[in-house]
Amino acid sequence: MQLNSLGFPRIGRRRELKFALEKYWRGEITQAELREVASELRRTHWQWQTAAGIEQVPVGDFAFYDQVLTLSATLNAIPDRHRGEGAIDLDTLFRVARGRAPTGQDAPASEMTKYFNTNYHYLVPELTQNQDFSIAYEQFFDEVSEAQALGYKAKPVLLGPVSYLYLAKTVGQEFDKLSLLPKLFTAYADILARFAAQGVEWVQLDEPVLALELDTDWQAAMTETYQALSTANVKVLLASYYGGIAHHQALVSALPVAGLHLDLVTAPEQLAVFANALRSEQVLSAGVVNGRNVWAADIDLIAERIGAVARDLGDRLWIGTSCSLLHSPVDLDVEVKLLPVLRKQLAFAKQKLLELSKIRQLLLAPNSDEAQKISAFCIARRQAKAQAADKQVIERVAALTTADYERVSDFSVRQRGQQQKYRLPLLPTTTIGSFPQTPAIRGLRSRWRKGEISDAQYTEQLQQVTRDTIERQLKLGIDVLVHGEAERNDMVEYFGEQLAGVGFSKNGWVQSYGSRCVKPPLIYGDVSRPKAMTVEWAEFAQSLTDKPVKGMLTGPVTILHWSFAREDISRDAIATQLALAIRDEVVDLQNAGIGIIQIDEPAFREGLPLKQSEWQTYLDWAVNAFKLSAAGVTDETQIHTHMCYSEFNDTIAAIAAMDADVITIETSRSRMELLNAFEDFEYPNEIGPGVYDIHSPNTPSVEAMVHLIEKAAQKVPVRQLWVNPDCGLKTRTWDEVEPALKNMVDATRELRRRCIGTREMNRNIG
């Protein structure tokens, strides 16, 4: 009975990869030094996994930026604008991801979007009609050799060809992506042959696309692909996760693969379905430990649930995590300040591997003394959790009525009142919220947390940063200002630190994209807001100017999705508790004189179930959570929301139902393609399509932003348009931000000059 690791986090338990990458991008270390950091991380992670009982260590789960991008490089599927003159190398990958690298020329970065229903972002492959695929980058094979040289048995892990093609976008002439499939699986066959030549026994091909409700063409693609790969001299473990695949049971069970991995956390009921259809030579990998959360598994209940299948399959049952541990923090051992009651409830990536070992122990020796101790500990932990409920929060949720979810008047009435109050110009400019978190700001926060400076000193210095931020925006001529969020570490963590029922780790970092890591809050109990969280800073910023300053909040759905949320109550119940806490803050901001309030929901679409048939249930409660958070204010208070890196076509009706007065969205990387949804739907409220890609260090020109705004005006009436960056600016430097925002304001002014008085503009305005 093997233990199966589908993949391990690559950032390091103290974010070693992040810091090495950023030093390399700044030119402070060589590529050789960067590679040495990466090699040391791989060695450490393989050693941990082997020590936990993993017989085949995953290889290919490591990436310098993104595993999908690494695969694109391997397949020679790099856009021409990023290639340069030589072979594909590491700097080529950074040009694709960032728009430039230390040794490369500027080039627009490739589109980045959420990986299925996670908060991880991948680089979208760009494929042309005449796309050829061939092995052009050696990282996968080099790392197999590296693992073998260290004495480990390597199991390469790659995104499967059908999922890769599904996630890609077509560029140039329109064509059917599936027409590229024969070329693609031929290249995969070459990759598998290379692995076989290296002595690899098993290769894991991930096909999370199977959790979707695929149409017949994509189902046929799955069959065609795995028939074509069946002659490879390696054993293929077909892995799917993030959802159940029982709706494709007949298709999947007929595929000629040596093993199948199932996510039994999101869909435990599919175990019996596939176990009964398993062929006599096939292995079943049971993903029973949640790879996307931090809560310690109920390993006694897991062992009981899979006990019968374990007895039937014997050595043909592997025990694993539900998916790659990419979405989990690395190591609980480095957490030294957690509350003991919280520590007992947690398991990070390293500890989840040990949970797999304990599950195997319970299955093999269920009556041993050690097994009895494990079961008793699990029961006591569940009992302690149930006794910690907050009755006041539960009663407040139960007392909600329909009226609590609705604004006083509809949007057309609110819009007139807001226009009269704020007198904003055509195409009002704003930013999304945060401004650069400079080394000085981070150092200040670090000294404060260590007790090296007092609360008063910390506040005084942050107030000076806020003054500077307001002055810079005034000088630039931005219409609706923000205070810059210098006091905030992360848009979710900052709020979680001030909410009851939420805890924190010190090193519980997970990768969001590239070197960007987040430390999600731990929602372990019923959530409430003991006191105001942002009002003091908003009031201070507003006191510095007559221009409106937005109050900046993170919405309940995003806090939920970007936290590690408890698993003993439903997600919609947690969202409702969070919405009430945010509602209290919104009302307090309004009462303090803040008339424009932004409630960010960048994770709104991320929460969609993978099966479209299950979407409406999610959308209903997600929309209600946002409305509950925003509905406590008067008509004149303008509610904004922000969304980024999402496809909007399928959710546009739900976004409209949120009834935000203004929505700002990411659109620059897609060249305004994402606005098609708002054009076709005739979105009724106001929209701020992003014209500045903040994830690239490149400074967009005035002409480029004018072009994007003009494209937006072709899809949305100008009277509904705002102008803003794609996202917050905390990860950029002032040297990058100020020129870009100056160009943004200049572009807006140029368009105002061009448009005012023209017949087309008058028609759009009127």
Side-chain angles (χ1 to χ4, degrees):
M1 188 181 295
Q2 283 196 37
L3 305 182
N4 187 25
S5 175
L6 276 74
F8 201 81
R10 54 220 183 207
I11 60 171
R13 61 182 170 186
R14 298 191 187 278
R15 296 179 290 165
E16 292 89 341
L17 181 60
K18 167 191 171 64
F19 298 124
L21 282 169
E22 292 173 355
K23 286 181 180 178
Y24 176 65
W25 293 334
R26 292 192 299 265
E28 296 173 3
I29 62 173
T30 65
Q31 189 175 119
E33 290 172 309
L34 171 63
R35 290 185 179 277
E36 179 53 37
V37 171
S39 181
E40 179 60 32
L41 286 171
R42 289 192 294 270
R43 288 194 295 268
T44 298
H45 299 162
W46 288 334
Q47 191 277 326
W48 286 348
Q49 291 174 87
T50 302
I54 304 296
E55 296 180 16
Q56 302 184 71
V57 297
V59 174
D61 53 345
F62 183 88
F64 284 94
Y65 202 98
D66 162 49
Q67 71 271 13
V68 180
L69 175 59
T70 306
L71 179 55
S72 291
T74 305
L75 293 167
N76 202 18
I78 295 295
D80 288 342
R81 66 184 182 276
H82 298 128
R83 284 182 174 274
E85 296 181 359
I88 294 173
D89 62 8
L90 190 55
D91 282 329
T92 310
L93 272 65
F94 293 149
R95 285 197 294 273
V96 175
R98 306 182 71 239
R100 73 181 186 200
T103 57
Q105 297 179 341
D106 289 353
S110 286
E111 186 177 345
M112 182 168 64
T113 194
K114 298 292 179 70
Y115 188 68
F116 292 91
N117 59 354
T118 75
N119 188 33
Y120 177 79
H121 301 67
Y122 76 98
L123 272 296
V124 179
E126 299 177 22
L127 306 180
T128 64
Q129 187 172 18
N130 299 316
Q131 184 78 48
D132 289 319
F133 301 98
S134 60
I135 298 174
Y137 186 64
E138 295 290 315
Q139 181 176 331
F140 289 147
F141 312 109
D142 291 344
E143 290 175 7
V144 167
S145 297
E146 180 184 6
Q148 291 172 334
L150 293 170
Y152 299 118
K153 189 174 183 179
K155 181 194 65 176
V157 175
L158 282 75
L159 183 65
V162 180
S163 292
Y164 177 81
L165 193 59
Y166 192 94
L167 293 177
K169 66 182 291 186
T170 60
V171 295
Q173 186 177 350
E174 290 188 13
F175 66 98
D176 182 2
K177 285 191 293 188
L178 285 171
S179 65
L180 298 176
L181 187 63
K183 290 182 179 180
L184 182 59
F185 61 58
T186 298
Y188 268 80
D190 293 341
I191 292 172
L192 295 184
R194 285 280 300 273
F195 287 144
Q198 291 181 289
V200 166
E201 180 183 5
W202 282 89
V203 175
Q204 177 183 313
L205 293 182
D206 292 351
E207 294 285 8
V209 74
L210 281 168
L212 305 175
E213 291 164 330
L214 298 173
D215 64 27
T216 55
D217 288 345
W218 286 94
Q219 292 181 48
M222 194 71 66
T223 299
E224 182 181 4
T225 295
Y226 285 90
Q227 287 289 349
L229 298 180
S230 63
T231 58
N233 290 323
V234 293
K235 297 177 181 178
V236 171
L237 176 71
L238 178 67
S240 194
Y241 38 77
Y242 305 148
I245 63 173
H247 55 299
H248 292 313
Q249 183 270 316
L251 165 70
V252 173
S253 294
L255 296 177
V257 294
L260 176 65
H261 173 83
L262 301 174
D263 180 348
L264 299 179
V265 172
T266 59
E269 70 282 353
Q270 64 182 335
L271 174 61
V273 174
F274 282 98
N276 291 334
L278 205 66
R279 296 192 296 276
S280 60
E281 74 280 6
Q282 282 184 307
V283 161
L284 180 64
S285 173
V288 291
V289 169
N290 194 342
R292 293 181 60 178
N293 219 329
V294 294
W295 308 111
D298 288 320
I299 54 181
D300 57 334
L301 301 182
I302 291 171
E304 181 180 337
R305 188 164 63 245
I306 66 173
V309 172
R311 289 188 292 272
D312 290 342
L313 295 182
D315 289 342
R316 289 196 298 128
L317 178 70
W318 294 2
I319 304 171
T321 53
S322 60
C323 59
S324 169
L325 293 169
L326 170 68
H327 310 293
S328 174
V330 178
D331 185 11
L332 187 62
D333 290 343
V334 296
E335 299 297 332
V336 296
K337 294 185 178 180
L338 283 172
L339 294 172
V341 66
L342 185 54
R343 172 178 284 276
K344 291 179 181 179
Q345 298 182 41
L346 297 174
F348 291 178
K350 185 180 177 184
Q351 289 70 40
K352 288 178 184 294
L353 300 173
L354 299 175
E355 288 184 327
L356 297 179
S357 180
K358 290 181 179 179
I359 292 169
R360 179 168 62 180
Q361 184 177 0
L362 288 178
L363 290 171
L364 296 177
N367 297 318
S368 66
D369 290 343
E370 184 61 26
Q372 298 304 312
K373 291 179 182 178
I374 292 172
S375 296
F377 180 81
C378 291
I379 292 170
R381 187 176 59 215
R382 287 194 292 272
Q383 290 174 339
K385 180 79 172 178
Q387 292 168 1
D390 187 327
K391 292 183 179 179
Q392 287 186 330
V393 174
I394 294 170
E395 290 171 356
R396 187 180 180 192
V397 170
L400 289 171
T401 66
T402 302
D404 293 316
Y405 293 84
E406 303 296 336
R407 296 288 296 272
V408 177
S409 304
D410 64 26
F411 172 70
S412 61
V413 175
R414 302 198 307 266
Q415 185 182 43
R416 288 193 295 272
Q418 292 162 14
Q419 289 173 341
Q420 292 172 4
K421 180 176 181 180
Y422 300 111
R423 301 292 180 182
L424 295 173
L426 187 71
L427 298 170
T429 55
T430 190
T431 62
I432 302 307
S434 60
F435 271 93
Q437 289 267 323
T438 63
I441 293 173
R442 292 194 297 270
L444 177 66
R445 184 181 300 118
S446 176
R447 294 195 300 275
W448 173 64
R449 289 189 183 278
K450 292 176 182 177
E452 296 173 1
I453 59 174
S454 67
D455 291 351
Q457 291 172 314
Y458 180 61
T459 298
E460 181 181 357
Q461 292 186 55
L462 285 182
Q463 285 179 340
Q464 184 54 49
V465 173
T466 303
R467 286 191 190 94
D468 177 67
T469 301
I470 294 293
E471 289 171 2
R472 289 177 190 254
Q473 293 172 84
L474 291 171
K475 184 177 179 181
L476 287 165
I478 293 172
D479 299 307
V480 175
L481 313 185
V482 297
H483 79 287
E485 304 178 14
E487 79 285 1
R488 303 185 190 184
N489 43 12
D490 174 81
M491 66 178 293
V492 172
E493 184 178 2
Y494 175 79
F495 291 97
E497 286 177 336
Q498 302 180 75
L499 294 171
V502 182
F504 287 88
S505 61
K506 183 176 181 180
N507 293 289
W509 299 97
V510 292
Q511 184 183 25
S512 179
Y513 62 85
S515 68
R516 169 71 168 150
C517 300
V518 295
K519 184 153 56 72
L522 312 172
I523 303 177
Y524 66 89
D526 294 309
V527 178
S528 61
R529 187 200 69 147
K531 62 180 181 178
M533 301 180 286
T534 68
V535 174
E536 182 178 349
W537 285 109
E539 280 187 304
F540 175 74
Q542 187 63 80
S543 73
L544 303 173
T545 177
D546 292 332
K547 283 190 172 184
V549 177
K550 285 191 290 187
M552 300 300 306
L553 305 173
T554 303
V557 177
T558 296
I559 293 177
L560 171 64
H561 291 324
W562 290 0
S563 298
F564 291 120
R566 57 191 290 196
E567 298 175 323
D568 57 326
I569 64 174
S570 68
R571 294 179 73 78
D572 59 305
I574 302 171
T576 301
Q577 293 181 2
L578 287 164
L580 285 170
I582 299 301
R583 180 190 182 97
D584 292 343
E585 188 72 12
V586 169
V587 171
D588 281 353
L589 282 168
Q590 175 188 258
N591 293 342
I594 307 301
I596 300 179
I597 302 170
Q598 183 169 306
I599 308 172
D600 287 345
E601 286 291 16
F604 181 83
R605 194 187 188 284
E606 176 184 310
L608 277 176
L610 295 182
K611 295 176 181 60
Q612 192 166 354
S613 61
E614 300 172 0
W615 282 9
Q616 197 57 52
T617 299
Y618 163 75
L619 290 172
D620 287 345
W621 66 254
V623 167
N624 280 339
F626 179 85
K627 291 172 69 177
L628 179 62
S629 71
V633 295
T634 65
D635 287 351
E636 287 187 342
T637 296
Q638 188 176 76
I639 297 293
H640 291 223
T641 191
H642 173 69
M643 297 182 178
C644 54
Y645 301 102
S646 295
E647 296 291 342
F648 296 105
N649 290 20
D650 297 322
T651 58
I652 185 63
I655 292 170
M658 293 166 69
D659 199 26
D661 298 305
V662 182
I663 179 173
T664 54
I665 58 174
E666 174 275 326
T667 50
S668 68
R669 285 201 179 194
S670 70
R671 285 74 167 172
M672 295 291 167
E673 290 176 10
L674 291 176
L675 276 183
N676 292 340
F678 292 82
E679 175 189 32
D680 298 340
F681 182 78
E682 295 186 4
Y683 186 75
N685 299 13
E686 297 178 13
I687 306 172
V691 297
Y692 160 29
D693 176 14
I694 67 90
H695 293 94
S696 170
N698 299 341
T699 300
S701 67
V702 172
E703 293 75 17
M705 287 195 269
V706 165
H707 176 66
L708 287 177
I709 299 169
E710 288 178 330
K711 287 189 70 173
Q714 294 170 8
K715 300 174 183 295
V716 177
V718 174
R719 58 184 166 77
Q720 293 177 237
L721 286 176
W722 288 59
V723 179
N724 46 261
D726 274 342
C727 203
L729 299 164
K730 68 178 292 185
T731 61
R732 302 261 60 93
T733 67
W734 278 111
D735 288 343
E736 295 165 334
V737 165
E738 286 193 294
L741 291 182
K742 180 182 183 300
N743 288 354
M744 184 185 82
V745 173
D746 288 348
T748 305
R749 288 171 174 167
E750 172 62 24
L751 281 168
R752 289 172 186 162
R753 285 193 294 267
R754 278 189 211 175
C755 294
I756 291 177
T758 67
R759 182 178 305 172
E760 179 182 14
M761 178 58 69
N762 287 334
R763 181 170 61 251
N764 280 336
I765 295 172

